[in-house]
């Protein structure tokens, strides 16, 4: 296999003109956001945003009572949310409200814009700081298993709203002939499935299909099995600990990799295994971030900024820890994936559908 291109392009410089004071204030704003992240995780875990959405406008004492927390902490947490513009203060009262449009981002896990869940992964990411400092010096990696399991659930929450609203209605129908096969009872492997949100969505939408989820994280697979049980889907979905270049099964009609090929140290070996495990008329669905090396600049979209930072502290170190030949990072771009697929024997490649944050590629043998 020829070497897959990594993110070799030279990033463009940050050309935003700012006075030293403006830049100083901007970085202080980033520092505030970094600390605020912890208040969002706390709010999500304790149901504070949900309590505000349900019972607001509320006083700190009211929030404390509804969410079963201490009143002084409720007050201080509300001040942090107010300073961020996340909640509003009702003039002339001691009450705070979460506007409906903010509730869709912070309080409603079913909304396509729900984002609060991601913040619960910060604990896992920040806790690897020592290991990352060491890895940056040595060139070694920081494996997925070196993180607290809240990385599995937090990252799962990050992508879940998009999957929930796009996978079945938009992405699968964008692939040629796939939904017909699944409706008739096809066989699916969801590789690097994490806690299994995508696996379960496909199993629920296509009751005749058999869906297998594979991930090398035992914690993630344990949580996925639990979710399948809770959703009553254990009869048609299985979850197994397996690596992407060695999962069991043959003649899959569809093999999916959602936001994980770039986390693998040897994406070429994964692509070859996908090719081998597919039915000759099967489809490989690859979902990756809609970011590429040319996007590395200061004015990329918020999702792009998020991907770039995640790559530096999670995606790249996780891939490096797998000792493979290509640690891609999460914004290596379409050409890297296309050439990995071609080298593995895929003859058909298509950008099936895309949004600002994600691209769905279709590859066939
Ligand atoms: C960013 S998460 C995405 C999880 C899930 N696909 C989703 O979209 O929610 C990346 C996943 O890849 C898994 N992973 C990384 N390297 C792997 C490998 N070599 N084999 C199997 N799974 C792997 C991790 O355990 C993690 O669950």
């Amino acid at each position: 296999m020829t070497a897959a291109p990594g993110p070799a392009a030279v990033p463009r410089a940050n050309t935003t003109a700012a006075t030293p004071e403006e830049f100083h204030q901007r970085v202080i704003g980033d520092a505030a956001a970094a600390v605020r992240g912890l208040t969002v995780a706390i709010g999500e875990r304790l149901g504070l945003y949900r309590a505000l959405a349900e019972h607001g406008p509320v006083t700190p004492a009211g929030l404390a009572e509804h969410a079963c927390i201490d009143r002084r902490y409720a007050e201080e947490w509300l001040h942090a949310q107010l300073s961020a513009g996340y909640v509003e203060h009702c003039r002339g009262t001691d009450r705070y409200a979460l506007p409906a449009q903010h509730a869709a981002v912070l309080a409603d896990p079913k909304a396509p814009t729900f984002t609060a869940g991601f913040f619960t992964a910060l604990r896992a990411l920040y806790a690897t700081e020592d290991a990352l400092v060491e890895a940056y010096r040595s060139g070694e990696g920081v494996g997925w298993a070196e993180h607290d399991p809240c990385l599995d659930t937090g990252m799962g929450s990050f992508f879940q709203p998009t999957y929930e609203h796009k996978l079945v209605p938009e992405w699968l129908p964008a692939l040629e002939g796939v939904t017909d096969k699944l409706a008739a009872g096809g066989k699916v492997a969801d590789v690097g499935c994490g806690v299994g949100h995508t696996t379960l969505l496909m199993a629920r939408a296509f009751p005749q299909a058999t869906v297998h989820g594979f991930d090398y994280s035992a914690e993630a697979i344990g949580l996925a099995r639990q979710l399948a049980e809770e959703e009553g889907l254990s009869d048609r979905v299985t979850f197994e600990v397996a690596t992407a270049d060695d999962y069991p099964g043959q003649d899959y009609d569809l093999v999916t990799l959602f936001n994980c090929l770039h986390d693998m140290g040897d994406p070429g070996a994964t692509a070859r295994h996908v090719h081998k495990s597919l039915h000759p008329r099967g489809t490989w669905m690859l979902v990756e971030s809609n970011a590429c090396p040319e996007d590395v600049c200061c004015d990329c979209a918020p999702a792009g900024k998020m991907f770039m930072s995640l790559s530096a502290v999670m995606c790249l170190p996780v891939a490096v820890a797998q000792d493979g030949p290509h640690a891609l990072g999460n914004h290596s771009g379409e050409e890297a994936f296309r050439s990995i697929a071609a080298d593995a024997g895929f003859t058909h490649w298509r950008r099936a559908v895309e949004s600002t944050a994600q691209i769905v590629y279709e590859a066939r043998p």
Side-chain angles (χ1 to χ4, degrees):
M1 184 180 131
T2 56
V10 178
R12 276 182 278 153
N14 176 346
T15 52
T16 303
T19 64
E21 182 50 23
E22 282 165 349
F23 181 67
H24 183 207
Q25 291 306 310
R26 201 175 93 205
V27 175
I28 289 178
D30 289 350
V35 180
R36 182 188 314 129
L38 190 52
T39 74
V40 180
I42 291 168
E44 161 64 5
R45 290 178 63 182
L46 291 172
L48 306 186
Y49 295 114
R50 288 188 289 281
L52 272 171
E54 211 175 307
H55 305 287
V58 285
T59 61
L63 176 62
E65 192 182 328
H66 288 300
C68 303
I69 63 166
D70 178 83
R71 192 199 66 79
R72 269 297 286 124
Y73 280 110
E75 186 172 45
E76 221 69 359
W77 183 84
L78 283 165
H79 290 173
Q81 306 311 301
L82 185 63
S83 73
Y86 288 7
V87 302
E88 286 172 355
H89 184 238
C90 307
R91 206 179 284 274
T93 73
D94 191 21
R95 291 178 180 272
Y96 297 80
L98 185 67
Q101 62 274 30
H102 297 195
V105 179
L106 296 167
D108 179 5
K110 292 277 168 228
T113 49
F114 181 68
T115 310
F118 167 76
F119 290 79
T120 62
L122 289 178
R123 182 160 57 96
L125 293 174
Y126 275 62
T128 56
E129 184 180 313
D130 287 349
L132 286 167
V133 166
E134 199 38 52
Y136 270 59
R137 287 202 182 105
S138 67
E140 300 295 315
V142 180
W144 194 270
E146 290 178 60
H147 296 84
D148 186 280
C150 68
L151 188 65
D152 293 303
T153 47
M155 288 310 299
S157 302
F158 179 47
F159 292 118
Q160 197 205 2
T162 304
Y163 296 154
E164 187 91 34
H165 290 265
K166 294 207 178 278
L167 174 55
V168 173
E170 275 183 43
W171 291 354
L172 289 171
L175 305 173
E176 236 180 272
V178 164
T179 50
D180 287 346
K181 279 188 205 161
L182 299 191
K187 191 166 130 184
V188 184
D190 187 13
V191 179
C193 66
V195 296
H197 291 311
T198 45
T199 333
L200 295 171
L201 279 169
M202 291 188 280
R204 202 182 306 125
F206 298 98
Q208 304 305 320
T210 318
V211 189
H212 304 276
F214 302 110
D215 199 288
Y216 81 160
S217 161
E219 283 87 5
I221 289 297
L223 289 163
R225 286 183 181 143
Q226 218 172 299
L227 285 178
E229 195 71 44
E230 283 164 19
E231 294 192 27
L233 293 170
S234 300
D235 57 331
R236 53 186 137 108
V237 68
T238 65
F239 287 105
E240 258 180 78
V241 176
T243 59
D245 55 3
D246 192 34
Y247 59 87
Q250 283 294 316
D251 284 333
Y252 288 107
D253 297 293
L254 176 68
V255 175
T256 55
L257 273 91
F258 293 93
N259 290 296
C260 60
L261 183 67
H262 64 261
D263 288 324
M264 293 164 189
D266 194 347
T270 296
R272 287 193 295 278
H273 192 67
V274 171
H275 190 275
K276 199 171 93 186
S277 73
L278 271 175
H279 185 279
R281 285 187 302 283
T283 301
W284 179 18
M285 175 188 193
L286 175 64
V287 177
E288 283 288 339
S289 72
N290 195 350
C292 61
E294 293 71 40
D295 292 340
V296 180
C297 61
C298 75
D299 53 0
C300 62
K305 290 181 199 292
M306 166 78 125
F307 285 129
M308 307 289 165
S309 290
L310 274 177
S311 202
V313 301
M314 184 186 79
C315 306
L316 183 74
V318 162
V320 171
Q322 297 183 30
D323 292 329
H326 309 303
L328 289 170
N330 69 13
H331 48 283
S332 49
E334 175 170 1
E335 189 44 35
F337 300 122
R338 198 202 54 73
S339 83
I340 286 169
D343 289 343
F346 287 90
T347 58
H348 166 97
W349 177 265
R350 187 168 71 94
R351 195 186 264 236
V353 60
E354 67 186 287
S355 65
T356 29
Q358 307 265 266
I359 303 188
V360 179
Y361 302 107
E362 175 190 76
R364 290 207 303 271

